[in-house]
Amino acid sequence: MKKVLVLSSSLRKGSNSETLAQEFAKGAAEAGNKVEFESLRGKKIGFCMGCLACQNKGKCVIKDDAPAITKKMESADVIAFATPIYYYEMSGQLKTMLDRANSLYASDYKFREIYLLTSAADTDAKAMNIAKRGIGGWIACFDGVKLKGSLCATGAESAGDVQKNSALLKKAFAMGKKV
């Protein structure tokens, strides 16, 4: 059994990327894993100040919701990030959270497997490539960590579009089940 954290960065309730994240979580849970679903919606997460105090203190000095989420990331074996694609990149909310998780670099983090679930209005699956590269840059900072899978819901412009694509939902579920 693995401890799986599914982190949804969309601020829109019932969003397409969040729907993928929920399906991934269902699959991971059905496979017998302990799954926690965390949404950035409603969370206060400020920008990293670049002070690097987290490297010595083991946690960020900014008093908001990011340190608690970072702690969950640290103790997870698997992290699935879900994000809408904005201008061919991950959402600003996710990027800000990744920056604020800088204390993980010097920690005894447990995660080794990362998944990326995205949704884009663009109809070309290449729409996620820059976000995938961005997550890859974050992963490269952690020894022994790999991107184990990614999925992009293309042509998903309106809320609920992903729910109409049962094949895609099955792919997200199956990806979670493989954890």
Side-chain angles (χ1 to χ4, degrees):
M1 177 179 76
K2 294 179 182 175
K3 188 174 178 185
V4 180
L5 175 65
V6 180
L7 186 61
S8 175
S9 66
S10 179
L11 301 183
R12 183 171 66 183
K13 186 169 178 57
S15 73
N16 292 304
S17 62
E18 184 173 272
T19 300
L20 291 177
Q22 289 169 338
E23 287 301 310
F24 180 95
K26 286 178 193 173
E30 188 172 292
N33 297 295
K34 181 181 178 191
V35 180
E36 182 173 1
F37 190 93
E38 181 77 42
S39 174
L40 297 185
R41 185 177 48 259
K43 302 286 194 246
K44 182 178 180 195
I45 301 172
F47 295 117
C48 176
M49 298 185 303
C51 67
L52 298 178
C54 62
Q55 298 298 295
N56 296 320
K57 294 181 178 277
K59 64 179 182 175
C60 184
V61 296
I62 299 172
K63 307 274 190 254
D64 62 8
D65 294 319
I69 296 168
T70 300
K71 207 65 169 150
K72 291 177 183 186
M73 292 169 68
E74 180 181 23
S75 66
D77 299 305
V78 176
I79 304 173
F81 295 111
T83 182
I85 298 297
Y86 296 153
Y87 299 102
Y88 298 99
E89 179 57 284
M90 72 180 83
S91 68
Q93 302 84 260
L94 181 55
K95 177 63 170 108
T96 299
M97 186 59 233
L98 293 176
D99 289 348
R100 288 293 303 287
N102 194 43
S103 64
L104 293 173
Y105 183 73
S107 76
D108 186 23
Y109 56 88
K110 304 288 184 256
F111 56 90
R112 295 293 179 261
E113 300 175 20
I114 304 295
Y115 291 84
L116 179 61
L117 307 163
T118 66
S119 63
D122 196 305
T123 57
D124 188 341
K126 292 178 184 175
M128 76 175 292
N129 286 356
I130 297 171
K132 198 172 178 181
R133 202 166 45 241
I135 289 291
W138 184 80
I139 290 168
C141 295
F142 300 96
D143 290 333
V145 179
K146 302 244 185 277
L147 180 64
K148 297 292 282 187
S150 61
L151 184 62
C152 185
T154 57
E157 188 168 352
S158 300
D161 282 349
V162 166
Q163 292 180 348
K164 301 171 194 166
N165 189 336
S166 61
L168 188 64
L169 294 175
K170 286 177 184 175
K171 282 183 184 179
F173 182 87
M175 187 181 286
K177 197 162 182 176
K178 284 199 282 186
V179 169

